[in-house]
Every structure is written in C-alpha cells, then in structure tokens.
Amino acid sequence: MTGGLKFSATDSLDSNSLIDAFTGISSSDGNLTQQSIQLESKAQSISTFKWLDGIVSIDPTVGNDTFFVVTWSIAIYPPGILLKDPKGRRYTHADFTIENTNLGTARLKISGTAEPGDWIYSVQNTHSTEQVLSITVTTRAASENVPPVTVKSYLNRESNTFPNPIVIYAEVSQGFLPVVGANVTATIESASGNTTELELYDNGSGADIRRHDGIYSRYFTKFIENGRYNIKIHVQGKDDTVRRVRRQSQALYIPGYVENGVIKMNSPRPEPSEDETQANLGSFSRTASGGSFVMSAVPPGVPKDAFPPSAITDLEVELNEDGEFLLSWTAPGDDFDLGTAERYEIKMSENPLELRDATFDSATSVNTSGLVPEAAGTHQSFQYKPDTFSKENGTSIYFAIRAIDNSSNVGEASNIARAVLLLAALPSTPALPSTPSSTKTTHNTSHAPSDANTTLSNNENNDTLLNTAIIITITVCVAVIIICAIIGITICVIKKQKNRYPETGM
C-alpha cells in the first residue's frame, strides 16, 4: 500500500523512530498540499529538572494544521512545557491536550496558519528520576497554489555486505525547483540503538554526482554491527544561505572541435545567471525518515581499514601562456569522502585510454612530491610544467588523478581532464635586399627566416595571388554580362522605333 517503503524502529525510547515511521507512511502519497510534513522529531533522556530545548523554523510555504506533540516515558503528570511563537506569544502545558486514552502524550494544535518564523520550545523533566522526553512537530502546506519545501531520502541499496559503503541521498526541493545551501544531516541508528551523525553535501564531489542540484549525498562506512539500520534526515535552512535554482542542462559540454585541421572553440559553458537564481527561502526546518537497510559480514571488534578514498569526479586542467598546466579538484577522504587521504598519483598521456584504471600505472607519472592532500571536500590545485613533450598545434594532453590512504587502499581513477595546445601563427618576415652579398650574409645570421617560415610566407603569397585572380575573373564576367545586356536593350528599342515610323526609316 505504501509502494514498498521500509522502516525500522528500535526498542530505544529516545530514538523516536516509531513516530517517524508512521509520519513517513502518512505523508507518502496523495496531494502534495494535503500531505503531512514533519518539521521536527527529537527525543532525549533528560535528568531531573533539566530541559529539552530547540528551535523549529516554520516557513511561509507551510503552517496549516500545525501540531506540537510532546511525549514522556515515566511520569503520570506532564513535564513542564514552554513554547514561544515568533511574535512572543507563550504556550504552556495548560494549552496542551492530554487524552485519557493516550497518557504520556500532550498535543497542541495551532489555530489557523502558524506564524512564520522561529518557534522556540523548552520541555522540562519535573519527575524525580531521569526519563525520556520527545517532541514532534507536523504541519501542512499553507496554500494550494504554492508547493511546500519537501525532503525525500534514498539509499543506493537495501541490503549491504561489508566492506561496501552505503550511499545516503536526500533530495530537497520546492515543487520542481532544487533547494541549495541547506544544512542536511543524516542520523543513522543501528539495531542496538547506537547512532551516528553524518552531514550530507551538494558539492559535486565524493558520493555527490552533480553540484547544486538539490540532492545531498554522502558515503556511510561506520558499521559497528550486523542487522538493520534506520536513517533519519534533518534539514535546516537559515536566512539568505538557502535559495531555489533552476535545474541546469545535463548535456555533455564540448569545448571545441577540429575542422580541416583547424581547431575551432565553442562558446564557454554557460553559468547560472542571476535570472536563474530564485528568491531566498529564508529559515525552514524539515525532518523525514530515510528508510532502512540490512548490514551483514561486519567483522567483530574494530575492523581494519578496508575503505579507499573516493574517486575524484571534478578534475579540471588549464594551460597557461608559460606552458604550465594548472590542475584543480575537490579533495577526497581517507575512507571515501571522510577524513584525509595520504597521497596522490597524477598521470598524463596523449592517449586518454591509458588513464583508465586497468592501464593507469603504465601512463606517464607527474612529480607530486610537493603535493599534500587536504581534508575531504577542500578545493585543491597543483601547477605542473613538463620538461619535454610534443608542442604541435592542436596536441591534446590528458590528465587523471587518484588518491591513496595510509593503509595503501587505492581509490579509483578520476575523470579524465584535457588541455589542448593552441600555438599562435608565425608572423610573415619582410623581404630582404636582393644583392648577392646581403643575401649571403642573411643566410648565415640567426635573423634569417627558417625554411618553415619561408614556406609559410610563400603559401600566403600564393593564396593572395589566387584570391586576386578570382576577383579579377569575377569582375570581368560581370562587366561582360552588363555590356551584353545594354547592347540587347539598345537593339530592341531600335527595332520598335522602325516598326512605328517606317517612312522616316527609324
């Protein structure tokens, strides 16, 4: 009935995973404006007279049917509750409803449309012993005409075997427009209730395929046991850091092409303009269940380092006027996109097929003795000038890079970046005096033109003569046509006049 959704809830009371599962089921289908949207889901074991504090950001796209639900695990009486809306209005436990059939749960429904802005909550444990307090906030779209910001989570597989990683994806969008600049975090909970926080990125490196497409991604490798893991996604947008963007074309960009031996460059890849960047969304909060996966073959104890650095996917290269290659990329980690790699290997070749994984080792190595890897996600660059290589006009030089960690785990080869040598045409040399002595002296000096320059000059002169002859021929043909037309018109006029005045002979 749910389309194959999978959820997992542990017996840990402070996980809130059971509430998240039912919320995910109730909002999985139907009209988007009528779906229940979860803004907050938080549970924590709180000592006596301590507080569970937080902020829920309600944006203008939501606010109808807003519920604040507080639960507690032990006490008969509700905890102390203080809720303040963006205009300063206060709600206490007296404003919450406790049903006789559902003890341990208090609900507050905000009438009308909830005020946009930050709602601040504080829940105090007034019981004599430690207990688990939780708060869940749900709402619906504020208008049928404006789609709300939503989050959807995906996994690369539903069952996994060590040492393969799990890739977690979270798509944040408003309607069909991606939302970029948000802070997206995944909470991964194992079968025994142990949790791990993992920040997801939309930077086009590591597990993330394309930058600023609204899909936040990350590798997860911290497996501590076998069994089922469940995932929860938290999204927080703050002020001007979050915005909607138009989806960019994913067509392959070709920088140039060769026609009749001449390199012709295409226009630069178009960058998003200000017109394609939509208005800022401001502050908002979203929480969603990310489903679950089953893990197997995890070794007991602390497993050895079996995860290599991730493949670099955004390698770029430029050739400057001094013949130096400038390479740039986003640094991978020690374990895929987490941590810091140990070192890099860079290869170059005039044949891109040599830079694939199978033949990477046989390609020409680049000296990287001064190149130190930085933390995953950092933008790095490296400048390199080869001692000798072919400098023919139109020569393509290809580069690839891979990272290696401190356990000698080797990452996959990167995308292949290309640089093309474009040499300027040689200028023509003025003609020298034709005296025998000066001709002999000129041939023996370093200022004499080379055979290549002489040939180039002769070719240019031949082309000029040929163009001149063509122009003269066309001019003569046009002139002959005009003269013939004039003669023909004159003869016709004379014949008509003779027929009209025969007695005059005209």
Side-chain angles (χ1 to χ4, degrees), residues 39-40 55-57 118 181-185 234-238 241-242 282-286:
L39 304 183
E40 177 73 306
I55 298 176
V56 179
S57 300
D118 290 339
N183 182 12
V184 182
T185 305
H234 307 267
V235 181
Q236 185 67 46
K238 282 295 185 183
T241 61
V242 182
S283 299
F284 67 90
S285 300
R286 296 292 186 273

Side-chain angles (χ1 to χ4, degrees), residues 36-298:
S36 176
I37 299 173
Q38 193 174 37
L39 304 183
E40 177 73 306
S41 176
K42 187 177 183 180
Q44 189 174 335
S45 183
I46 304 297
S47 301
T48 302
F49 299 115
K50 297 298 182 180
W51 296 83
L52 174 67
D53 301 314
I55 298 176
V56 179
S57 300
I58 298 181
D59 57 281
T61 67
V62 295
N64 288 345
D65 296 334
T66 303
F67 285 91
F68 287 80
V69 180
V70 177
T71 66
W72 56 96
S73 60
I74 299 177
I76 298 176
Y77 300 102
I81 303 174
L82 178 61
L83 176 65
K84 186 171 64 174
D85 72 7
K87 289 189 174 182
R89 180 180 175 180
R90 294 173 177 266
Y91 301 86
T92 65
H93 68 277
D95 299 303
F96 283 70
T97 301
I98 302 177
E99 298 179 1
N100 295 330
T101 58
N102 193 14
L103 297 177
T105 302
R107 296 176 31 146
L108 170 66
K109 180 180 180 180
I110 305 300
S111 59
T113 302
E115 185 70 27
D118 290 339
W119 291 65
I120 304 173
Y121 64 83
S122 297
V123 184
Q124 185 186 34
N125 179 19
T126 57
H127 193 56
S128 58
T129 60
E130 181 178 345
Q131 68 174 337
V132 175
L133 303 179
S134 75
I135 183 169
T136 304
V137 183
T138 59
T139 188
R140 299 183 191 275
S143 172
E144 295 182 355
N145 301 321
V146 180
V149 176
T150 58
V151 55
K152 297 179 181 179
S153 179
Y154 311 93
L155 301 173
N156 66 327
R157 56 174 62 94
E158 296 177 353
S159 59
N160 190 42
T161 303
F162 188 89
N164 298 312
I166 283 288
V167 183
I168 303 173
Y169 305 95
E171 182 180 8
V172 186
S173 61
Q174 184 184 15
F176 294 104
L177 296 177
V179 175
V180 302
N183 182 12
V184 182
T185 305
T187 301
I188 301 96
E189 183 183 18
S190 68
S192 60
N194 295 313
T195 59
T196 302
E197 299 285 335
L198 185 67
E199 187 173 0
L200 309 185
Y201 299 126
D202 185 17
N203 57 4
S205 65
D208 193 62
I209 298 175
R210 184 172 296 274
R211 182 173 181 265
H212 284 178
D213 62 353
I215 300 177
Y216 300 74
S217 316
R218 197 78 184 274
Y219 288 105
F220 176 67
T221 58
K222 293 189 176 298
F223 308 109
I224 60 175
E225 59 183 324
N226 293 317
R228 187 173 291 276
Y229 291 69
N230 73 74
I231 298 172
K232 181 193 295 185
I233 304 296
H234 307 267
V235 181
Q236 185 67 46
K238 282 295 185 183
D239 301 328
D240 295 340
T241 61
V242 182
R243 64 189 187 278
R244 299 170 302 179
V245 297
R246 296 185 184 273
R247 295 193 184 274
Q248 298 298 308
S249 171
Q250 299 184 11
L252 177 65
Y253 172 73
I254 305 297
Y257 58 96
V258 178
E259 182 178 322
N260 297 327
V262 179
I263 297 177
K264 296 185 178 182
M265 303 301 296
N266 290 324
S267 301
R269 181 195 298 269
E271 297 293 336
S273 64
E274 292 296 329
D275 295 336
E276 294 175 326
T277 301
Q278 307 299 306
N280 296 325
L281 292 176
S283 299
F284 67 90
S285 300
R286 296 292 186 273
T287 301
S289 176
S292 66
F293 65 92
V294 177
M295 194 68 199
S296 61
V298 177

